[in-house]
Amino acid sequence: ILPLLSYYTFVIVSLLSLFLFLSHIFLFFFFFLMIRRPPRSTLSSSSAASDVYKRQVSTQSTGTLGDTAMGRRKSAAKAPAKKKQPKVATVFDCPFCNTKSAVECSIDKRRMLGTVSCRICSAEYQLMTDYLTEPIDVYCAWIDHCEEVNEEQD
């Protein structure tokens, strides 16, 4: 009876190991097919899942797998880089003494007053400003004022 018992034990153990092996293979293929297969139950043209399936098939057939391929996420769009605004000059040439880079423009935003002054000949001009005024605007207003004075004298 002992050899018969060991035979049945061997058969039972081998059947259990075969069952475990087959169950692992079944689970692997079952999950693999669940992940990779397109939906079969929704082939009607009005179904949203069918539209997704058609879109995936069309991108795969054209050869452009890119970010819309099956199983990939779309990449996040990068924000466009901000362009640096050019700085406006604050130092200019003096129209009276013809010295380069001798005129400095400053704007007092609190008092809303723009000032232009030459370091060499001490020529000065002041102008009421607003929040949009830049130093170049104050300098151009000074040049315009100088031209008006010259026209009056002629």
Side-chain angles (χ1 to χ4, degrees):
I1 200 158
L2 188 61
L4 191 59
L5 185 63
S6 65
Y7 175 73
Y8 286 128
T9 310
F10 173 74
V11 170
I12 291 173
V13 169
S14 62
L15 284 177
L16 281 175
S17 63
L18 181 64
F19 173 75
L20 286 173
F21 175 72
L22 290 177
S23 66
H24 280 89
I25 290 176
F26 172 75
L27 287 176
F28 172 76
F29 283 112
F30 176 75
F31 285 115
F32 179 77
L33 292 177
M34 288 297 289
I35 293 172
R36 293 291 184 173
R37 286 185 69 169
R40 285 188 169 200
S41 61
T42 54
L43 293 179
S44 68
S45 61
S46 64
S47 170
S50 177
D51 294 339
V52 170
Y53 172 68
K54 288 177 186 173
R55 202 173 328 127
Q56 289 171 351
V57 170
S58 67
T59 57
Q60 288 176 353
S61 64
T62 59
T64 57
L65 293 176
D67 288 336
T68 59
M70 201 151 130
R72 293 190 184 189
R73 293 185 180 185
K74 291 185 179 180
S75 62
K78 293 181 180 177
K82 291 184 178 179
K83 294 181 182 177
K84 290 185 177 179
Q85 293 188 355
K87 293 190 176 185
V88 181
T90 59
V91 179
F92 304 99
D93 302 337
C94 180
F96 294 111
C97 63
N98 292 328
T99 308
K100 297 203 179 275
S101 301
V103 176
E104 293 179 352
C105 295
S106 62
I107 298 176
D108 187 0
K109 299 275 186 186
R110 190 172 45 101
R111 286 192 263 169
M112 298 179 69
L113 183 67
T115 306
V116 180
S117 61
C118 178
R119 288 181 279 132
I120 307 299
C121 67
S122 300
E124 234 181 82
Y125 178 74
Q126 289 185 344
L127 172 71
M128 294 301 295
T129 62
D130 59 4
Y131 67 95
L132 294 175
T133 306
E134 295 289 332
I136 187 79
D137 299 326
V138 178
Y139 178 75
C140 290
W142 182 40
I143 298 296
D144 293 341
H145 181 71
C146 292
E147 288 177 357
E148 288 174 10
V149 170
N150 286 339
E151 287 178 5
E152 288 176 7
Q153 290 179 357
D154 290 338

